[in-house]
Amino acid sequence: MAVVSDRKVLELQKTMLVIRRCPFCLKDTEQNAYYAHKPDLKVGATLDGKQFVLEYQGRMLFEWYGIAECKECGNAYVVQGSIPQINKDITGTTKPQIVRLAYTCCDFCLHEENGYTLANMLITLKSGKSLYLCERHAEQIKKEKGKRNSYDFLIPKVAAWNI
């Protein structure tokens, strides 16, 4: 798994403490949940001298995004879907806070195409390895899985990546 992160100042409104599956630790952890008002969600990265910018482009609720920050690893990420409290609890009162905004990258893009692409799907293989996939690779893998009825065809490929 490749993680790209950057320290960012975001306008946050704290909502509650939640227990969620952290996309970085890959276990259920305590996390602070926030609403972020019009956040700058761009994170830059460099791979072999080539610049990449990753930015979450998902669902925004009236200029607000849900953000969670893992207490275990310290990474903050955009919550895909929604935080349970939603708009009735957005007061509009925010406080600038420094967080380490992080994204997971597609393992196929990284290892086969030498590039960073935002991942939005996680699969775990029987070998115990976890793979993050971008939309394009997720679609390809789903089609192949449909033909073979499992993800086992990925195990040799992932073993060759030495991750």
Side-chain angles (χ1 to χ4, degrees), residues 81-121:
S82 60
I83 295 175
Q85 290 180 280
I86 299 301
N87 62 354
K88 67 181 169 69
D89 297 309
I90 296 175
T91 64
T93 305
T94 61
K95 178 173 111 176
Q97 188 168 329
I98 298 172
V99 297
R100 185 172 63 227
L101 183 63
Y103 295 115
T104 52
C105 301
C106 176
D107 288 309
F108 276 85
C109 290
L110 182 66
H111 292 93
E112 293 186 349
E113 300 170 14
N114 201 34
Y116 288 122
T117 306
L118 198 61
N120 60 2
M121 181 179 169

mmCIF file of all heavy atoms in Angstrom, residues 81-121:
data_model
loop_
_atom_site.group_PDB
_atom_site.id
_atom_site.type_symbol
_atom_site.label_atom_id
_atom_site.label_comp_id
_atom_site.label_asym_id
_atom_site.label_seq_id
_atom_site.Cartn_x
_atom_site.Cartn_y
_atom_site.Cartn_z
ATOM 1 N N GLY A 81 -18.938 8.408 1.782
ATOM 2 C CA GLY A 81 -20.247 8.200 2.373
ATOM 3 C C GLY A 81 -20.513 9.393 3.262
ATOM 4 O O GLY A 81 -20.207 10.522 2.905
ATOM 5 N N SER A 82 -21.009 9.172 4.453
ATOM 6 C CA SER A 82 -21.298 10.308 5.319
ATOM 7 C C SER A 82 -21.075 9.956 6.772
ATOM 8 O O SER A 82 -21.147 8.800 7.160
ATOM 9 C CB SER A 82 -22.734 10.774 5.109
ATOM 10 O OG SER A 82 -23.616 9.716 5.424
ATOM 11 N N ILE A 83 -20.800 10.956 7.563
ATOM 12 C CA ILE A 83 -20.723 10.793 9.001
ATOM 13 C C ILE A 83 -22.162 10.810 9.499
ATOM 14 O O ILE A 83 -22.969 11.621 9.034
ATOM 15 C CB ILE A 83 -19.886 11.932 9.625
ATOM 16 C CG1 ILE A 83 -18.437 11.826 9.131
ATOM 17 C CG2 ILE A 83 -19.935 11.884 11.139
ATOM 18 C CD1 ILE A 83 -17.553 12.962 9.573
ATOM 19 N N PRO A 84 -22.541 9.957 10.443
ATOM 20 C CA PRO A 84 -23.943 9.804 10.826
ATOM 21 C C PRO A 84 -24.700 11.077 11.190
ATOM 22 O O PRO A 84 -25.902 11.159 10.971
ATOM 23 C CB PRO A 84 -23.869 8.878 12.033
ATOM 24 C CG PRO A 84 -22.602 8.133 11.864
ATOM 25 C CD PRO A 84 -21.670 9.055 11.146
ATOM 26 N N GLN A 85 -24.075 12.104 11.716
ATOM 27 C CA GLN A 85 -24.817 13.275 12.174
ATOM 28 C C GLN A 85 -25.347 14.153 11.037
ATOM 29 O O GLN A 85 -26.360 14.808 11.199
ATOM 30 C CB GLN A 85 -23.952 14.117 13.097
ATOM 31 C CG GLN A 85 -23.716 13.418 14.417
ATOM 32 C CD GLN A 85 -22.866 14.251 15.320
ATOM 33 O OE1 GLN A 85 -21.669 14.269 15.157
ATOM 34 N NE2 GLN A 85 -23.474 14.941 16.253
ATOM 35 N N ILE A 86 -24.668 14.224 9.953
ATOM 36 C CA ILE A 86 -25.036 14.978 8.753
ATOM 37 C C ILE A 86 -25.398 16.429 9.045
ATOM 38 O O ILE A 86 -24.987 17.001 10.025
ATOM 39 C CB ILE A 86 -26.126 14.225 7.968
ATOM 40 C CG1 ILE A 86 -25.569 12.867 7.533
ATOM 41 C CG2 ILE A 86 -26.559 14.957 6.704
ATOM 42 C CD1 ILE A 86 -24.341 12.922 6.682
ATOM 43 N N ASN A 87 -26.167 17.054 8.161
ATOM 44 C CA ASN A 87 -26.285 18.509 8.133
ATOM 45 C C ASN A 87 -26.972 19.153 9.331
ATOM 46 O O ASN A 87 -26.730 20.304 9.620
ATOM 47 C CB ASN A 87 -26.960 18.972 6.843
ATOM 48 C CG ASN A 87 -28.363 18.449 6.697
ATOM 49 O OD1 ASN A 87 -28.817 17.638 7.493
ATOM 50 N ND2 ASN A 87 -29.046 18.896 5.662
ATOM 51 N N LYS A 88 -27.806 18.456 10.065
ATOM 52 C CA LYS A 88 -28.475 19.081 11.203
ATOM 53 C C LYS A 88 -27.487 19.501 12.290
ATOM 54 O O LYS A 88 -27.787 20.359 13.105
ATOM 55 C CB LYS A 88 -29.549 18.172 11.787
ATOM 56 C CG LYS A 88 -29.019 16.913 12.442
ATOM 57 C CD LYS A 88 -30.179 16.080 12.973
ATOM 58 C CE LYS A 88 -29.779 14.716 13.401
ATOM 59 N NZ LYS A 88 -28.998 14.487 14.490
ATOM 60 N N ASP A 89 -26.307 18.900 12.289
ATOM 61 C CA ASP A 89 -25.316 19.199 13.320
ATOM 62 C C ASP A 89 -24.209 20.136 12.854
ATOM 63 O O ASP A 89 -23.292 20.419 13.613
ATOM 64 C CB ASP A 89 -24.714 17.899 13.858
ATOM 65 C CG ASP A 89 -25.763 17.052 14.534
ATOM 66 O OD1 ASP A 89 -26.479 17.593 15.401
ATOM 67 O OD2 ASP A 89 -25.892 15.874 14.192
ATOM 68 N N ILE A 90 -24.269 20.581 11.623
ATOM 69 C CA ILE A 90 -23.263 21.531 11.155
ATOM 70 C C ILE A 90 -23.666 22.919 11.642
ATOM 71 O O ILE A 90 -24.688 23.455 11.235
ATOM 72 C CB ILE A 90 -23.140 21.499 9.611
ATOM 73 C CG1 ILE A 90 -22.632 20.132 9.154
ATOM 74 C CG2 ILE A 90 -22.216 22.610 9.136
ATOM 75 C CD1 ILE A 90 -22.585 19.966 7.651
ATOM 76 N N THR A 91 -22.858 23.472 12.522
ATOM 77 C CA THR A 91 -23.183 24.785 13.090
ATOM 78 C C THR A 91 -22.586 25.919 12.289
ATOM 79 O O THR A 91 -22.998 27.059 12.425
ATOM 80 C CB THR A 91 -22.641 24.905 14.527
ATOM 81 O OG1 THR A 91 -21.206 24.845 14.475
ATOM 82 C CG2 THR A 91 -23.187 23.818 15.418
ATOM 83 N N GLY A 92 -21.596 25.617 11.483
ATOM 84 C CA GLY A 92 -20.905 26.669 10.742
ATOM 85 C C GLY A 92 -19.732 27.238 11.516
ATOM 86 O O GLY A 92 -18.959 28.022 11.006
ATOM 87 N N THR A 93 -19.581 26.817 12.768
ATOM 88 C CA THR A 93 -18.472 27.280 13.595
ATOM 89 C C THR A 93 -17.295 26.340 13.398
ATOM 90 O O THR A 93 -17.374 25.159 13.730
ATOM 91 C CB THR A 93 -18.874 27.286 15.090
ATOM 92 O OG1 THR A 93 -20.043 28.070 15.230
ATOM 93 C CG2 THR A 93 -17.768 27.835 15.939
ATOM 94 N N THR A 94 -16.237 26.851 12.818
ATOM 95 C CA THR A 94 -15.064 26.021 12.558
ATOM 96 C C THR A 94 -13.852 26.589 13.270
ATOM 97 O O THR A 94 -13.844 27.733 13.708
ATOM 98 C CB THR A 94 -14.747 25.942 11.049
ATOM 99 O OG1 THR A 94 -14.465 27.255 10.578
ATOM 100 C CG2 THR A 94 -15.890 25.330 10.276
ATOM 101 N N LYS A 95 -12.815 25.752 13.341
ATOM 102 C CA LYS A 95 -11.567 26.155 13.960
ATOM 103 C C LYS A 95 -10.444 25.622 13.063
ATOM 104 O O LYS A 95 -10.483 24.453 12.665
ATOM 105 C CB LYS A 95 -11.504 25.526 15.352
ATOM 106 C CG LYS A 95 -10.251 25.807 16.128
ATOM 107 C CD LYS A 95 -10.404 25.268 17.544
ATOM 108 C CE LYS A 95 -9.491 24.098 17.736
ATOM 109 N NZ LYS A 95 -9.481 23.566 19.084
ATOM 110 N N PRO A 96 -9.463 26.475 12.723
ATOM 111 C CA PRO A 96 -8.360 25.960 11.909
ATOM 112 C C PRO A 96 -7.582 24.906 12.699
ATOM 113 O O PRO A 96 -7.311 25.085 13.878
ATOM 114 C CB PRO A 96 -7.485 27.183 11.654
ATOM 115 C CG PRO A 96 -8.200 28.352 12.196
ATOM 116 C CD PRO A 96 -9.310 27.879 13.049
ATOM 117 N N GLN A 97 -7.289 23.825 12.033
ATOM 118 C CA GLN A 97 -6.543 22.750 12.678
ATOM 119 C C GLN A 97 -5.577 22.139 11.674
ATOM 120 O O GLN A 97 -5.916 21.982 10.505
ATOM 121 C CB GLN A 97 -7.523 21.691 13.194
ATOM 122 C CG GLN A 97 -6.864 20.648 14.043
ATOM 123 C CD GLN A 97 -7.907 19.798 14.755
ATOM 124 O OE1 GLN A 97 -8.992 20.249 15.088
ATOM 125 N NE2 GLN A 97 -7.565 18.546 14.986
ATOM 126 N N ILE A 98 -4.406 21.794 12.147
ATOM 127 C CA ILE A 98 -3.419 21.135 11.288
ATOM 128 C C ILE A 98 -3.637 19.628 11.375
ATOM 129 O O ILE A 98 -3.674 19.059 12.465
ATOM 130 C CB ILE A 98 -1.971 21.484 11.720
ATOM 131 C CG1 ILE A 98 -1.737 22.989 11.596
ATOM 132 C CG2 ILE A 98 -0.974 20.708 10.868
ATOM 133 C CD1 ILE A 98 -0.415 23.449 12.188
ATOM 134 N N VAL A 99 -3.824 19.014 10.225
ATOM 135 C CA VAL A 99 -3.973 17.562 10.156
ATOM 136 C C VAL A 99 -3.022 17.018 9.090
ATOM 137 O O VAL A 99 -2.556 17.746 8.219
ATOM 138 C CB VAL A 99 -5.426 17.133 9.813
ATOM 139 C CG1 VAL A 99 -6.397 17.558 10.893
ATOM 140 C CG2 VAL A 99 -5.854 17.653 8.467
ATOM 141 N N ARG A 100 -2.739 15.735 9.184
ATOM 142 C CA ARG A 100 -1.963 15.075 8.136
ATOM 143 C C ARG A 100 -2.975 14.385 7.222
ATOM 144 O O ARG A 100 -3.443 13.285 7.491
ATOM 145 C CB ARG A 100 -0.974 14.067 8.730
ATOM 146 C CG ARG A 100 -0.072 13.459 7.656
ATOM 147 C CD ARG A 100 1.050 12.613 8.224
ATOM 148 N NE ARG A 100 0.536 11.467 8.941
ATOM 149 C CZ ARG A 100 0.954 11.077 10.141
ATOM 150 N NH1 ARG A 100 1.888 11.764 10.771
ATOM 151 N NH2 ARG A 100 0.444 10.016 10.726
ATOM 152 N N LEU A 101 -3.353 15.085 6.143
ATOM 153 C CA LEU A 101 -4.315 14.561 5.188
ATOM 154 C C LEU A 101 -3.616 13.509 4.337
ATOM 155 O O LEU A 101 -2.550 13.771 3.778
ATOM 156 C CB LEU A 101 -4.863 15.686 4.308
ATOM 157 C CG LEU A 101 -5.935 15.304 3.311
ATOM 158 C CD1 LEU A 101 -7.194 14.803 4.018
ATOM 159 C CD2 LEU A 101 -6.265 16.485 2.415
ATOM 160 N N ALA A 102 -4.204 12.322 4.266
ATOM 161 C CA ALA A 102 -3.549 11.219 3.567
ATOM 162 C C ALA A 102 -4.521 10.525 2.620
ATOM 163 O O ALA A 102 -5.732 10.518 2.850
ATOM 164 C CB ALA A 102 -2.996 10.221 4.584
ATOM 165 N N TYR A 103 -3.958 9.964 1.578
ATOM 166 C CA TYR A 103 -4.716 9.178 0.613
ATOM 167 C C TYR A 103 -3.991 7.871 0.356
ATOM 168 O O TYR A 103 -2.759 7.821 0.363
ATOM 169 C CB TYR A 103 -4.844 9.905 -0.729
ATOM 170 C CG TYR A 103 -5.641 11.177 -0.672
ATOM 171 C CD1 TYR A 103 -5.046 12.405 -0.929
ATOM 172 C CD2 TYR A 103 -6.997 11.158 -0.377
ATOM 173 C CE1 TYR A 103 -5.771 13.579 -0.891
ATOM 174 C CE2 TYR A 103 -7.733 12.332 -0.338
ATOM 175 C CZ TYR A 103 -7.114 13.534 -0.596
ATOM 176 O OH TYR A 103 -7.842 14.695 -0.556
ATOM 177 N N THR A 104 -4.761 6.823 0.094
ATOM 178 C CA THR A 104 -4.175 5.565 -0.355
ATOM 179 C C THR A 104 -4.159 5.594 -1.880
ATOM 180 O O THR A 104 -5.033 6.179 -2.509
ATOM 181 C CB THR A 104 -5.002 4.364 0.138
ATOM 182 O OG1 THR A 104 -6.368 4.564 -0.210
ATOM 183 C CG2 THR A 104 -4.872 4.195 1.641
ATOM 184 N N CYS A 105 -3.150 4.974 -2.437
ATOM 185 C CA CYS A 105 -2.964 4.979 -3.889
ATOM 186 C C CYS A 105 -3.215 3.596 -4.460
ATOM 187 O O CYS A 105 -3.007 2.588 -3.786
ATOM 188 C CB CYS A 105 -1.548 5.426 -4.232
ATOM 189 S SG CYS A 105 -1.179 7.059 -3.603
ATOM 190 N N CYS A 106 -3.627 3.561 -5.694
ATOM 191 C CA CYS A 106 -3.879 2.305 -6.389
ATOM 192 C C CYS A 106 -2.566 1.536 -6.549
ATOM 193 O O CYS A 106 -1.587 2.064 -7.089
ATOM 194 C CB CYS A 106 -4.491 2.587 -7.754
ATOM 195 S SG CYS A 106 -4.737 1.117 -8.777
ATOM 196 N N ASP A 107 -2.557 0.293 -6.067
ATOM 197 C CA ASP A 107 -1.348 -0.527 -6.163
ATOM 198 C C ASP A 107 -1.007 -0.880 -7.605
ATOM 199 O O ASP A 107 0.164 -0.974 -7.963
ATOM 200 C CB ASP A 107 -1.511 -1.801 -5.325
ATOM 201 C CG ASP A 107 -1.454 -1.506 -3.833
ATOM 202 O OD1 ASP A 107 -0.495 -0.835 -3.409
ATOM 203 O OD2 ASP A 107 -2.364 -1.927 -3.101
ATOM 204 N N PHE A 108 -2.006 -1.066 -8.454
ATOM 205 C CA PHE A 108 -1.732 -1.383 -9.858
ATOM 206 C C PHE A 108 -1.110 -0.197 -10.580
ATOM 207 O O PHE A 108 -0.159 -0.347 -11.336
ATOM 208 C CB PHE A 108 -3.012 -1.840 -10.577
ATOM 209 C CG PHE A 108 -3.310 -3.290 -10.386
ATOM 210 C CD1 PHE A 108 -3.996 -3.721 -9.261
ATOM 211 C CD2 PHE A 108 -2.883 -4.224 -11.296
ATOM 212 C CE1 PHE A 108 -4.253 -5.053 -9.064
ATOM 213 C CE2 PHE A 108 -3.130 -5.568 -11.114
ATOM 214 C CZ PHE A 108 -3.822 -5.992 -9.985
ATOM 215 N N CYS A 109 -1.658 0.997 -10.344
ATOM 216 C CA CYS A 109 -1.082 2.189 -10.978
ATOM 217 C C CYS A 109 0.360 2.388 -10.521
ATOM 218 O O CYS A 109 1.236 2.718 -11.320
ATOM 219 C CB CYS A 109 -1.908 3.428 -10.634
ATOM 220 S SG CYS A 109 -3.539 3.457 -11.403
ATOM 221 N N LEU A 110 0.605 2.165 -9.249
ATOM 222 C CA LEU A 110 1.941 2.366 -8.692
ATOM 223 C C LEU A 110 2.939 1.339 -9.226
ATOM 224 O O LEU A 110 4.015 1.701 -9.693
ATOM 225 C CB LEU A 110 1.884 2.298 -7.167
ATOM 226 C CG LEU A 110 3.196 2.540 -6.440
ATOM 227 C CD1 LEU A 110 3.672 3.965 -6.647
ATOM 228 C CD2 LEU A 110 3.036 2.250 -4.956
ATOM 229 N N HIS A 111 2.575 0.073 -9.185
ATOM 230 C CA HIS A 111 3.531 -0.983 -9.528
ATOM 231 C C HIS A 111 3.614 -1.313 -11.021
ATOM 232 O O HIS A 111 4.639 -1.787 -11.477
ATOM 233 C CB HIS A 111 3.208 -2.256 -8.739
ATOM 234 C CG HIS A 111 3.468 -2.098 -7.280
ATOM 235 N ND1 HIS A 111 2.494 -1.713 -6.395
ATOM 236 C CD2 HIS A 111 4.593 -2.235 -6.564
ATOM 237 C CE1 HIS A 111 3.008 -1.638 -5.188
ATOM 238 N NE2 HIS A 111 4.278 -1.938 -5.253
ATOM 239 N N GLU A 112 2.545 -1.075 -11.756
ATOM 240 C CA GLU A 112 2.568 -1.422 -13.170
ATOM 241 C C GLU A 112 2.691 -0.222 -14.093
ATOM 242 O O GLU A 112 3.164 -0.356 -15.209
ATOM 243 C CB GLU A 112 1.319 -2.233 -13.538
ATOM 244 C CG GLU A 112 1.304 -3.590 -12.870
ATOM 245 C CD GLU A 112 0.163 -4.468 -13.334
ATOM 246 O OE1 GLU A 112 -0.753 -3.976 -14.024
ATOM 247 O OE2 GLU A 112 0.198 -5.665 -13.010
ATOM 248 N N GLU A 113 2.253 0.945 -13.625
ATOM 249 C CA GLU A 113 2.266 2.125 -14.484
ATOM 250 C C GLU A 113 3.155 3.235 -13.938
ATOM 251 O O GLU A 113 3.247 4.300 -14.523
ATOM 252 C CB GLU A 113 0.829 2.639 -14.667
ATOM 253 C CG GLU A 113 -0.069 1.609 -15.313
ATOM 254 C CD GLU A 113 -1.538 1.998 -15.282
ATOM 255 O OE1 GLU A 113 -1.849 3.173 -15.003
ATOM 256 O OE2 GLU A 113 -2.376 1.122 -15.543
ATOM 257 N N ASN A 114 3.766 2.984 -12.768
ATOM 258 C CA ASN A 114 4.678 3.936 -12.144
ATOM 259 C C ASN A 114 4.033 5.311 -11.941
ATOM 260 O O ASN A 114 4.588 6.340 -12.289
ATOM 261 C CB ASN A 114 5.966 4.070 -12.965
ATOM 262 C CG ASN A 114 7.097 4.616 -12.133
ATOM 263 O OD1 ASN A 114 7.186 4.325 -10.950
ATOM 264 N ND2 ASN A 114 7.955 5.399 -12.739
ATOM 265 N N GLY A 115 2.813 5.283 -11.365
ATOM 266 C CA GLY A 115 2.112 6.536 -11.129
ATOM 267 C C GLY A 115 1.204 6.443 -9.920
ATOM 268 O O GLY A 115 0.888 5.360 -9.444
ATOM 269 N N TYR A 116 0.821 7.587 -9.415
ATOM 270 C CA TYR A 116 -0.104 7.661 -8.284
ATOM 271 C C TYR A 116 -1.500 7.977 -8.785
ATOM 272 O O TYR A 116 -1.701 8.926 -9.537
ATOM 273 C CB TYR A 116 0.311 8.770 -7.312
ATOM 274 C CG TYR A 116 1.537 8.476 -6.495
ATOM 275 C CD1 TYR A 116 2.641 9.319 -6.551
ATOM 276 C CD2 TYR A 116 1.594 7.376 -5.653
ATOM 277 C CE1 TYR A 116 3.769 9.075 -5.785
ATOM 278 C CE2 TYR A 116 2.714 7.122 -4.880
ATOM 279 C CZ TYR A 116 3.794 7.972 -4.946
ATOM 280 O OH TYR A 116 4.899 7.727 -4.187
ATOM 281 N N THR A 117 -2.462 7.176 -8.353
ATOM 282 C CA THR A 117 -3.869 7.433 -8.615
ATOM 283 C C THR A 117 -4.615 7.148 -7.325
ATOM 284 O O THR A 117 -4.321 6.174 -6.631
ATOM 285 C CB THR A 117 -4.420 6.513 -9.730
ATOM 286 O OG1 THR A 117 -3.607 6.646 -10.888
ATOM 287 C CG2 THR A 117 -5.848 6.857 -10.081
ATOM 288 N N LEU A 118 -5.570 7.981 -7.013
ATOM 289 C CA LEU A 118 -6.355 7.831 -5.801
ATOM 290 C C LEU A 118 -7.118 6.513 -5.812
ATOM 291 O O LEU A 118 -7.790 6.194 -6.785
ATOM 292 C CB LEU A 118 -7.341 8.999 -5.711
ATOM 293 C CG LEU A 118 -7.965 9.312 -4.386
ATOM 294 C CD1 LEU A 118 -6.908 9.677 -3.354
ATOM 295 C CD2 LEU A 118 -8.949 10.462 -4.543
ATOM 296 N N ALA A 119 -6.979 5.744 -4.731
ATOM 297 C CA ALA A 119 -7.687 4.469 -4.615
ATOM 298 C C ALA A 119 -9.011 4.679 -3.898
ATOM 299 O O ALA A 119 -9.119 5.515 -3.012
ATOM 300 C CB ALA A 119 -6.836 3.470 -3.850
ATOM 301 N N ASN A 120 -10.005 3.905 -4.305
ATOM 302 C CA ASN A 120 -11.295 3.999 -3.627
ATOM 303 C C ASN A 120 -11.897 2.634 -3.327
ATOM 304 O O ASN A 120 -13.040 2.531 -2.921
ATOM 305 C CB ASN A 120 -12.277 4.860 -4.430
ATOM 306 C CG ASN A 120 -12.534 4.298 -5.796
ATOM 307 O OD1 ASN A 120 -12.021 3.247 -6.148
ATOM 308 N ND2 ASN A 120 -13.317 4.997 -6.589
ATOM 309 N N MET A 121 -11.119 1.577 -3.529
ATOM 310 C CA MET A 121 -11.598 0.228 -3.223
ATOM 311 C C MET A 121 -10.456 -0.571 -2.612
ATOM 312 O O MET A 121 -9.302 -0.450 -3.028
ATOM 313 C CB MET A 121 -12.085 -0.464 -4.497
ATOM 314 C CG MET A 121 -12.607 -1.855 -4.266
ATOM 315 S SD MET A 121 -13.167 -2.570 -5.824
ATOM 316 C CE MET A 121 -13.404 -4.261 -5.326
#
